[in-house]
Amino acid sequence: MPIYTAPTRDTRFVVNELLDLASYGNLPGFENATPDMIDTVINEAGRFCAEVLAPLNLVGDQHGCVRHEDGSVTTPPGFKEAYQQFRESGWGTVAQPEEFGGQGFPHVLGFVLEEFMGTSNQAFAMYPGLGAGAVAALIAAGSEEQKATYLPKMVAGEWLGTMNLTEPHCGTDLGMIRTKAEPNGDGSYAITGTKIFISAGEHDLTENIIHLVLAKTPGAPDSTKGISLFVVPKFLVNADGSLGERNGVSCGSIEHKMGIHGNSTCVLNYDGAKGWLVGDENKGLAAMFVMMNAARLGVGIQGLAQAEVAYQNAVAYALDRRQGRALTGPADPEAKADPIFVHPDVRRMLMDAKVFTEGMRALCLWGALLVDLSHKAPTAEEREQADALIGLMTPVMKGYGTDKGYDVATNMQQVFGGHGYIEEWGMSQFVRDARIAMIYEGTNGVQAMDLCGRKLGSKGGAAIQAFFKMVDDEIAEAKGNEQLADLATRLEKALGEQKAATMWFMQNAMANPNNLGAGAHNYMHLMGIVVLGLMWLRMSKVALEKLAGEPEDKAFYEAKLVSAKYYAERFLPDAGALRRKLEAGSEHMMALGADAFQTAA
Amino acid sequence: MPIYTAPTRDTRFVVNELLDLASYGNLPGFENATPDMIDTVINEAGRFCAEVLAPLNLVGDQHGCVRHEDGSVTTPPGFKEAYQQFRESGWGTVAQPEEFGGQGFPHVLGFVLEEFMGTSNQAFAMYPGLGAGAVAALIAAGSEEQKATYLPKMVAGEWLGTMNLTEPHCGTDLGMIRTKAEPNGDGSYAITGTKIFISAGEHDLTENIIHLVLAKTPGAPDSTKGISLFVVPKFLVNADGSLGERNGVSCGSIEHKMGIHGNSTCVLNYDGAKGWLVGDENKGLAAMFVMMNAARLGVGIQGLAQAEVAYQNAVAYALDRRQGRALTGPADPEAKADPIFVHPDVRRMLMDAKVFTEGMRALCLWGALLVDLSHKAPTAEEREQADALIGLMTPVMKGYGTDKGYDVATNMQQVFGGHGYIEEWGMSQFVRDARIAMIYEGTNGVQAMDLCGRKLGSKGGAAIQAFFKMVDDEIAEAKGNEQLADLATRLEKALGEQKAATMWFMQNAMANPNNLGAGAHNYMHLMGIVVLGLMWLRMSKVALEKLAGEPEDKAFYEAKLVSAKYYAERFLPDAGALRRKLEAGSEHMMALGADAFQTAA
């Protein structure tokens, strides 16, 4: 049975010591986030996830969801009870606005909870995760009536929600959707079409499910400019808030997937279902992107989450399993063999995992703070800066974070040798669950193009230039500190590769946009490496400051310094290789026609 | 339903044009391998695998194997009939010695078959694959009587075989095995113990299964020096060759694995089973390594195989699926969207797959030729040279080949977007099946240590120095050809990184052997990149020669030249990064103790 302990110590380090969340007490919503309250939320969230959700993770994988003949879906054993506990404990309301019954805490604490939930049980976490996405879209684009009808129940977790974008023939290219919305003449629309890959599309956790659905009104432009967003409840809601008749949306089947078996991924058939326009006609994509951006950050956290739980299990196994002897001589001469923890190749994989997960945690929670600041910073300029920065960071966190998360989960499975391949040990599940994060909410190729094709150039490159300046400034400051100078110099070199790659794009993408597309994936990884490097520089700085005060848990801070050095030696060197690949451009990548790829007999 | 076409054109290119197999007609066993016969074997093997084995691949994954109460195991629907066809067509005998009923063809052709079988149905291919391993061990170490008793039936495929090494508490560290072999006094031994992860351990394909089992005789040294090898038939064999009583070995359970569901991975319980010593007492490991080395090459081919089938399916999907528009403007303006083949990030993944699979195919078949030469080259010196080179190459082919094979399979799944995550499409299976190849027959960490700890330094580094000289010579020659000079220069740079890394090991591993262990994985990948680069240089040379003759299929050879350039631009740059990581040594990798890895609440 896999283990899980919420990494509350490291989380408190990031929230309290690295981000110093309490220092933002002047911002609305932050005033309640006192140091005591922060620690309580972190510790209690960790306890809930470890005790209630983690034990159901393997169960969910093995049982999966079951669709019955009437179209209803049963979630895995224990999920319903766990969801009830989740709802009653108020965990779904942590970062929701107080106006609709939420606790109004900063997103930083919401992200902490998202990590712990994703780590302990990703398939479970997706149910409230999708609900929160639907809440975000309704807050952003819903009418006052819609907010009043849906939000209190949704924030309270009494109802959950979904996002309906994908259709059998289109996912990335939403301009092609065929689902129709015909006006009923009473302000409502009749929604007809088929949606696929709808996570949490049908289940037994809540009495109602509020679907947010992209569809086209009659005569709408045949492109992304003709997409509208509709709210389509599973059960219609009466004026008094009670549930009315069953709406014309049903689950046609659930998919057999590689992983996240505990979440019901549905084909939803809309057969004249009653829906109401959310926001303006033909502006549905913009409203959906409110959900999408939050969802992408959430998926980035999943990259961290699967790496983290796989790492914890690999550490336990490496300390327990004995095979062979340390290269430097027996570490435990009394025993027949040493724990495999002594082998450098095992330690390499564990250290890779350690510096990725800790670095990624710092990145995710800093990202959450940027989300908070983009809404709540005192001045418009600060809000804009934070918004631009998190916009730039979102595809990196999603794309790089989930690519690496999968790599790390795979390596942690490798630590188990043959036992890692056996389902009962749970390592296979972590890899299979991690795999989806590279695909959904926009494949990582889409993330790379979002970064390079949209974010890099927006407002004349203002966001990336601001990012370079920020990193340059921090490097310059760190170089003045003897103990940080080496790390800062190495990071400067990697940043230099990113700057050169950016310049190469500027000089070569206009002439041939394929040069941008050909290097986008490389650029996203290059930036991911630099950003995690920045996190390690910041964490080292804090660790040095703390160590100067002779703290009780000295070892914790010393480990941060060693880990930062390891990161610099073992992750940063890829920056140069990525730049060189990127600078190869698209010529040979795009030179061969379809024939050259087809297997010739 | 996934597709598969055997890449016979590319295989004939490697066998006939790159390796020029027919030119070795003077060697024993090669005389029958005339150009016509070679092409016939390649084409017919391809047809058999595509028509008979490929259609059972997804079936095998979905049905798996079933163990019944009596311990018998049923393979997936269709496997038994396909095995009968396989046996009757004589595919199992291609590279087996004529002495025992084989066809005596070169290993090169045996490896071709292994690729096609692994690509079309890895779980199926493992049944005869394990049988061939057992044959190899009996040929190498069996007594004349054992050979006469077992080999004719095994070579004919009437009986299959297994390798029994792993026990619950040990796999890599075989010195710890506990299975006992007590002399019965009649020349036989009573074998008692539990073996796990026994591929093809029990099944319904053949009437008998010949287990090769590592066990310890009474008083044997408590280390790898006390391991003996035994042959333990499922049914005892009477003097006349007929089957006698059922032996005391039974399948206790079959494992629930991440992949290769169609192969029965068994717990085998030996309860005083009758066995006979193979080779000398306490020399079992050496005999087992005869099987192991062949098996490792076979697993390297599996890395190629899963990448190849995933690639073929991704190409088909990329040409069919339409989403979005080419960055350079609509490629198919009449349609609503372009095939995703036009997108650079999709093409990047396809090109990565193409240059890996074609390069790896060249490497595997060259490796097979080295195996042939190590046995059959005219002079002892040539045989020794070939043996040293294939010894060096084996961990690279296994370790680098399967790491990259998994990466490529994962990327090909990525091409499918959300559909790649749905089991019915088959892409998940390719990834899950590819995953095991990094683990079994020695994890890739073990391969890296075999390469760096054993092969690099053996005979004063003679093998690696010979390798360097060979690559240097080919680079020097290629630099004289204007059309190859750029590729040769880039390869020279990567080779320079490998030489520097080798030197660093020499200078730093004596002082601290952990420096070797810390860099072994990096070195294995670095060498893999160089070796595939060498293959692309060789293939480019042949392509240029062919193009000079104005061949009919000009496009085939031109594609080789483009692919080689892509390889040089997109794979070789990692060599430098790998060297830099390696040169970081073990200090920070090994600095943290167990406490620093354990999650603190």
Side-chain angles (χ1 to χ4, degrees):
Chain A
M1 179 82 170
I3 57 163
Y4 175 62
T5 305
T8 50
R9 173 66 184 97
D10 198 54
T11 303
R12 292 194 309 271
F13 166 75
V14 174
V15 173
N16 296 329
E17 305 174 38
L18 186 70
L19 301 178
D20 194 9
L21 194 66
S23 72
Y24 295 87
N26 60 321
L27 303 185
F30 283 62
E31 65 276 0
N32 298 332
T34 59
D36 275 1
M37 183 54 86
I38 290 169
D39 288 356
T40 301
V41 171
I42 292 172
N43 295 339
E44 288 304 307
R47 201 188 51 73
F48 173 80
C49 292
E51 291 178 7
V52 178
L53 302 187
L56 297 176
N57 194 38
L58 192 59
V59 174
D61 187 61
Q62 290 175 342
H63 286 260
C65 296
V66 179
R67 178 184 171 279
H68 306 285
E69 263 187 45
D70 64 358
S72 66
V73 169
T74 307
T75 52
F79 272 42
K80 197 170 173 172
E81 294 73 20
Y83 182 73
Q84 198 175 333
Q85 258 188 282
F86 170 83
R87 192 170 57 71
E88 285 169 2
S89 317
W91 288 116
T93 68
V94 167
Q96 297 291 7
E98 288 172 287
E99 184 186 352
F100 302 109
Q103 298 181 62
F105 279 119
H107 278 90
V108 175
L109 292 179
F111 275 39
V112 166
L113 183 66
E114 278 195 52
E115 182 203 321
F116 294 171
M117 289 182 69
T119 314
S120 54
N121 197 326
Q122 179 173 329
F124 179 93
M126 289 170 67
Y127 292 103
L130 269 296
V135 166
L138 285 172
I139 289 176
S143 66
E144 288 312 309
E145 194 192 331
Q146 287 166 349
K147 289 180 186 174
T149 305
Y150 300 110
L151 287 178
K153 297 261 191 186
M154 292 177 79
V155 167
E158 287 180 49
W159 300 345
L160 283 170
T162 70
M163 307 169 58
N164 290 240
L165 291 77
T166 306
E167 300 184 5
H169 65 291
C170 73
T172 300
D173 189 353
L174 292 170
M176 297 201 289
I177 66 170
R178 293 178 189 147
T179 297
K180 293 284 170 215
E182 306 266 357
N184 287 325
D186 62 354
S188 74
Y189 289 76
I191 314 288
T192 303
T194 301
K195 294 288 182 177
I196 65 168
F197 301 161
I198 308 307
S199 299
E202 177 59 59
H203 55 75
D204 56 0
L205 301 185
T206 51
E207 57 175 16
N208 205 4
I209 303 172
I210 310 305
H211 303 294
L212 287 175
V213 186
L214 292 184
K216 287 186 173 172
T217 52
D222 192 16
S223 73
T224 53
K225 291 184 179 126
I227 300 175
S228 302
L229 180 64
F230 297 86
V231 56
V232 186
K234 176 179 166 184
F235 285 97
L236 299 181
V237 181
N238 297 324
D240 65 355
S242 64
L243 294 189
E245 62 178 306
R246 182 73 163 78
N247 206 348
V249 48
S250 61
C251 168
S253 62
I254 54 178
E255 305 283 2
H256 303 104
K257 308 184 299 292
M258 185 179 187
I260 48 168
H261 296 162
N263 200 275
S264 60
T265 304
C266 297
V267 174
L268 286 188
N269 297 319
Y270 289 85
D271 189 15
K274 228 175 210 187
W276 288 267
L277 189 63
V278 177
D280 295 334
E281 200 171 340
N282 296 339
K283 302 286 184 200
L285 212 57
M288 199 55 121
F289 257 92
V290 173
M291 289 169 72
M292 188 71 96
N293 279 326
R296 286 178 175 178
L297 291 171
V299 174
I301 297 173
Q302 289 175 359
L304 159 61
Q306 293 309 308
E308 169 71 25
V309 68
Y311 165 68
Q312 291 190 14
N313 282 276
V315 167
Y317 189 81
L319 291 169
D320 181 61
R321 175 80 170 177
R322 289 170 180 268
Q323 295 288 280
R325 287 298 188 186
L327 294 172
T328 48
D332 185 1
E334 302 300 305
K336 276 202 155 187
D338 291 332
I340 60 173
F341 179 76
V342 303
H343 300 312
D345 196 61
V346 170
R347 203 76 71 88
R348 171 183 65 80
M349 294 189 280
L350 296 180
M351 281 297 292
D352 279 1
K354 182 175 171 65
V355 302
F356 170 70
T357 52
E358 293 179 15
M360 188 69 189
R361 178 170 300 117
L363 175 60
C364 289
L365 296 180
W366 177 51
L369 181 60
L370 291 175
V371 172
D372 283 318
L373 293 175
S374 74
H375 293 115
K376 298 179 174 172
T379 69
E381 195 193 341
E382 286 169 281
R383 289 194 296 273
E384 269 168 37
Q385 279 173 354
D387 189 59
L389 200 49
I390 189 61
L392 195 63
M393 226 56 88
T394 299
V396 177
M397 287 167 60
K398 198 282 186 182
Y400 176 75
T402 62
D403 277 355
K404 283 300 293 182
Y406 177 72
D407 278 355
V408 166
T410 298
N411 278 339
M412 296 303 92
Q413 182 187 27
Q414 189 74 10
V415 170
F416 279 70
H419 298 277
Y421 202 63
I422 307 300
E423 291 294 350
E424 281 80 352
W425 285 88
M427 300 307 287
S428 163
Q429 184 190 358
F430 301 143
V431 173
R432 291 184 287 99
D433 285 1
R435 183 67 187 87
I436 189 58
M438 297 150 81
I439 297 173
Y440 61 15
E441 307 305 339
T443 65
N444 286 357
V446 169
Q447 303 303 320
M449 281 308 291
D450 177 48
L451 174 63
C452 299
R454 194 172 300 134
K455 303 287 173 63
L456 275 191
S458 93
K459 298 187 188 166
I464 192 71
Q465 293 305 332
F467 171 76
F468 288 153
K469 182 171 183 321
M470 177 184 70
V471 186
D472 274 333
D473 289 350
E474 295 189 41
I475 287 170
E477 190 202 327
K479 280 170 119 178
N481 180 331
E482 200 185 318
Q483 289 169 286
L484 293 173
D486 182 66
L487 178 56
T489 305
R490 288 169 185 261
L491 180 59
E492 186 174 37
K493 186 159 185 291
L495 181 68
E497 307 286 7
Q498 192 192 346
K499 288 178 181 172
T502 313
M503 184 65 78
W504 191 90
F505 273 161
M506 285 174 64
Q507 289 165 341
N508 294 278
M510 287 284 265
N512 181 356
N514 280 342
N515 283 328
L516 191 86
H521 171 86
N522 303 126
Y523 191 91
M524 181 174 75
H525 274 249
L526 175 43
M527 183 158 171
I529 288 169
V530 169
V531 172
L532 280 203
L534 177 67
M535 295 302 113
W536 277 110
L537 183 64
R538 289 179 180 175
M539 289 194 282
S540 298
K541 199 179 146 194
V542 172
L544 282 175
E545 286 164 8
K546 294 286 170 186
L547 282 168
E550 297 284 338
E552 224 171 277
D553 47 356
K554 217 172 134 182
F556 177 85
Y557 299 103
E558 284 169 345
K560 287 285 178 206
L561 295 179
V562 170
S563 300
K565 285 174 186 160
Y566 182 87
Y567 183 87
E569 290 168 355
R570 292 259 164 193
F571 279 60
L572 292 180
D574 283 325
L578 287 164
R579 171 194 164 184
R580 275 187 288 281
K581 292 180 196 179
L582 180 153
E583 290 182 354
S586 61
E587 185 189 345
H588 299 124
M589 185 183 287
M590 302 299 285
L592 298 177
D595 286 354
F597 290 89
Q598 278 165 323
T599 307
Chain B
M1 179 82 171
I3 57 163
Y4 174 62
T5 303
T8 51
R9 173 66 186 96
D10 197 55
T11 303
R12 293 196 308 274
F13 166 75
V14 174
V15 174
N16 296 328
E17 305 174 36
L18 186 70
L19 301 178
D20 194 8
L21 193 66
S23 71
Y24 295 87
N26 60 320
L27 304 185
F30 283 63
E31 63 276 0
N32 298 330
T34 60
D36 275 0
M37 185 52 87
I38 290 169
D39 288 355
T40 302
V41 171
I42 291 172
N43 295 337
E44 289 303 307
R47 201 187 52 72
F48 174 79
C49 292
E51 291 178 7
V52 178
L53 302 187
L56 297 176
N57 194 40
L58 192 58
V59 174
D61 186 61
Q62 290 175 343
H63 286 260
C65 295
V66 179
R67 177 185 173 278
H68 307 284
E69 263 186 45
D70 64 357
S72 66
V73 169
T74 307
T75 53
F79 272 41
K80 196 168 174 173
E81 296 73 18
Y83 182 74
Q84 198 175 332
Q85 257 188 282
F86 170 83
R87 192 170 56 72
E88 286 170 1
S89 318
W91 288 116
T93 68
V94 166
Q96 298 292 5
E98 288 172 287
E99 184 186 354
F100 301 109
Q103 300 182 63
F105 279 119
H107 279 89
V108 175
L109 292 179
F111 275 39
V112 166
L113 183 65
E114 277 195 53
E115 181 203 319
F116 295 172
M117 288 181 69
T119 314
S120 54
N121 197 324
Q122 180 174 328
F124 179 93
M126 289 170 67
Y127 292 103
L130 270 297
V135 165
L138 285 171
I139 289 176
S143 67
E144 289 312 310
E145 194 193 332
Q146 288 168 347
K147 288 179 185 174
T149 304
Y150 300 110
L151 286 179
K153 298 263 193 184
M154 292 178 79
V155 167
E158 287 180 46
W159 299 344
L160 284 170
T162 69
M163 308 169 57
N164 289 240
L165 290 77
T166 306
E167 299 184 3
H169 65 291
C170 73
T172 300
D173 190 352
L174 293 169
M176 297 201 289
I177 67 170
R178 294 178 189 148
T179 298
K180 293 283 169 214
E182 306 267 356
N184 288 325
D186 60 356
S188 73
Y189 290 75
I191 313 290
T192 303
T194 301
K195 295 287 183 178
I196 65 167
F197 301 161
I198 308 308
S199 300
E202 178 59 60
H203 56 74
D204 55 0
L205 301 184
T206 53
E207 57 176 16
N208 205 3
I209 302 172
I210 311 306
H211 303 292
L212 288 174
V213 186
L214 292 184
K216 287 186 174 173
T217 53
D222 193 17
S223 72
T224 54
K225 291 180 181 133
I227 300 175
S228 302
L229 180 65
F230 296 87
V231 58
V232 185
K234 174 178 165 184
F235 285 96
L236 299 180
V237 180
N238 297 324
D240 64 357
S242 64
L243 294 190
E245 60 178 306
R246 183 71 164 79
N247 206 350
V249 48
S250 62
C251 168
S253 62
I254 53 178
E255 304 283 3
H256 302 107
K257 308 185 299 293
M258 185 179 186
I260 49 167
H261 296 161
N263 200 276
S264 59
T265 305
C266 297
V267 174
L268 286 188
N269 297 319
Y270 289 85
D271 188 15
K274 228 174 209 187
W276 289 268
L277 190 62
V278 177
D280 295 333
E281 199 171 340
N282 295 340
K283 302 285 185 202
L285 211 56
M288 200 53 121
F289 258 92
V290 173
M291 290 169 72
M292 189 70 98
N293 279 326
R296 286 178 175 179
L297 291 171
V299 175
I301 296 174
Q302 289 175 0
L304 160 59
Q306 293 310 310
E308 170 70 26
V309 69
Y311 165 67
Q312 290 191 15
N313 282 277
V315 167
Y317 189 80
L319 291 169
D320 181 60
R321 174 80 170 178
R322 290 170 181 269
Q323 294 290 282
R325 289 298 188 185
L327 295 171
T328 48
D332 185 2
E334 303 299 305
K336 275 203 158 188
D338 291 332
I340 60 171
F341 180 75
V342 304
H343 300 311
D345 196 60
V346 170
R347 202 76 71 86
R348 171 184 66 81
M349 294 189 279
L350 296 179
M351 282 297 293
D352 279 1
K354 182 177 172 62
V355 302
F356 170 71
T357 53
E358 294 180 16
M360 187 69 188
R361 179 171 300 117
L363 175 60
C364 288
L365 297 179
W366 177 51
L369 181 60
L370 291 174
V371 172
D372 283 318
L373 293 174
S374 73
H375 293 117
K376 299 179 172 172
T379 70
E381 194 192 343
E382 286 169 282
R383 290 193 296 273
E384 270 168 37
Q385 280 173 355
D387 190 58
L389 200 47
I390 189 62
L392 195 62
M393 226 56 87
T394 298
V396 177
M397 287 167 61
K398 199 283 187 183
Y400 176 75
T402 61
D403 277 354
K404 282 299 293 180
Y406 178 73
D407 277 355
V408 166
T410 298
N411 278 339
M412 296 303 93
Q413 183 188 27
Q414 189 74 10
V415 169
F416 279 70
H419 298 277
Y421 202 65
I422 307 300
E423 291 293 351
E424 282 81 351
W425 285 89
M427 301 306 289
S428 163
Q429 184 189 357
F430 302 142
V431 173
R432 290 183 289 99
D433 285 2
R435 184 66 187 87
I436 189 59
M438 297 149 80
I439 298 172
Y440 62 13
E441 306 306 340
T443 64
N444 286 357
V446 169
Q447 303 302 319
M449 281 308 290
D450 177 49
L451 174 64
C452 299
R454 192 172 302 133
K455 305 288 173 64
L456 275 192
S458 95
K459 298 186 189 168
I464 192 70
Q465 293 304 333
F467 172 77
F468 289 152
K469 181 170 183 324
M470 178 184 71
V471 187
D472 274 332
D473 289 350
E474 296 190 41
I475 287 170
E477 191 201 326
K479 280 170 121 179
N481 180 333
E482 199 185 321
Q483 290 170 285
L484 292 174
D486 181 66
L487 178 55
T489 305
R490 288 170 186 263
L491 180 59
E492 187 174 35
K493 185 159 186 292
L495 181 68
E497 308 285 8
Q498 192 191 345
K499 288 178 180 173
T502 313
M503 186 66 76
W504 191 90
F505 273 160
M506 287 173 62
Q507 290 166 341
N508 295 279
M510 289 283 267
N512 180 357
N514 280 342
N515 283 328
L516 192 86
H521 171 86
N522 304 126
Y523 190 92
M524 180 174 75
H525 274 249
L526 175 43
M527 182 158 171
I529 287 168
V530 169
V531 172
L532 280 203
L534 177 67
M535 295 302 115
W536 276 111
L537 183 64
R538 288 178 179 175
M539 290 194 280
S540 297
K541 198 179 147 194
V542 172
L544 283 174
E545 286 163 9
K546 294 286 170 184
L547 281 167
E550 296 285 341
E552 225 171 276
D553 47 357
K554 219 173 131 181
F556 177 84
Y557 299 103
E558 285 170 345
K560 287 284 178 208
L561 296 179
V562 170
S563 300
K565 287 175 184 157
Y566 182 86
Y567 183 86
E569 291 169 354
R570 293 258 163 193
F571 279 60
L572 292 180
D574 283 324
L578 286 163
R579 172 195 165 185
R580 274 186 289 281
K581 292 179 197 180
L582 180 152
E583 289 182 355
S586 62
E587 185 190 344
H588 299 123
M589 186 183 286
M590 303 299 286
L592 298 177
D595 286 353
F597 290 88
Q598 279 165 321
T599 306

